[in-house]
Amino acid sequence: MGSRKEIHKVPAKATRAKAPKEAKLISLDIACGQVKEEGWVGVDIVKTTGVDVVHDLLKFPWPFADGSVGLAKCSHFFEHVPNHLRFKFMDELYRIMAKGAQCTFFVPYYASMRAVQDPTHEWPPIAESSFLYFNAEWRRNSKLDHYPVKCDFDFTYSYALDNSPPFNLGGRNQDFQMTAIKHYINSVTDLIVTVTKR
């Protein structure tokens, strides 16, 4: 898998109460379905073998305390969140995460047929720059601080590349990979983004 990373940092601002210091932070698998890893708390809308907490993640607030999550992941769910709820979703994630906590998102890349093949995926598809809107300094600098979102995340990202013939992108040099990512559809299958709470 090739990778390209960018980091966006801004000064920290704490506005919500934190979980008590003696409370153990949880590792939260958001929309885990049946594939939750051992040691994680799984939350999803339907009770299955992997789900510990049944909750509709499009209903706010979520049943977790402020600052109670130390690590989170969200695999192939964020693209199902309607665009008018994405700010609320990220604000709620921000609320439950401890300062410095990270959440990794796995989403179909906007320039992949995987982003548009599923009729339950919402518009718009997700790109690297989609996560800029969850960074307070970027919003201020872009004169978008009037947007209805309060969260403040730094983020890094990488790509899951298509390794099928003829390109075999994983086996190519980084210059070729970057050219393919920028110019060829379906060269990236998934975008992997890790957000860190400021």
Side-chain angles (χ1 to χ4, degrees), residues 57-60 78 81-91:
L57 291 159
L58 303 181
K59 304 289 184 194
F60 311 101
F78 194 56
V81 176
N83 64 350
H84 70 280
L85 293 179
R86 288 181 183 171
F87 285 154
K88 289 180 181 179
F89 183 97
M90 293 302 288
D91 278 346

Side-chain angles (χ1 to χ4, degrees), residues 13-34:
K13 289 186 179 179
T15 58
R16 300 286 306 232
K18 303 284 185 193
K21 287 187 179 183
E22 62 276 3
K24 183 179 178 190
L25 297 177
I26 64 171
S27 297
L28 185 64
D29 192 338
I30 299 167
C32 65
Q34 299 178 49

Side-chain angles (χ1 to χ4, degrees), residues 6 16 39 57 71 73 78 80 91-92 99 104 106 111 113-114 128 131 142 155-156 172 178:
E6 290 187 13
R16 300 286 306 232
L57 291 159
L71 186 64
K73 62 182 169 180
F78 194 56
H80 296 272
D91 278 346
E92 189 64 4
K99 183 177 179 181
T104 300
F106 302 85
M113 72 175 78
R114 289 167 47 82
E128 306 90 324
F131 287 84
S142 301
F155 69 96
T156 60
R172 298 296 195 96
M178 292 301 103

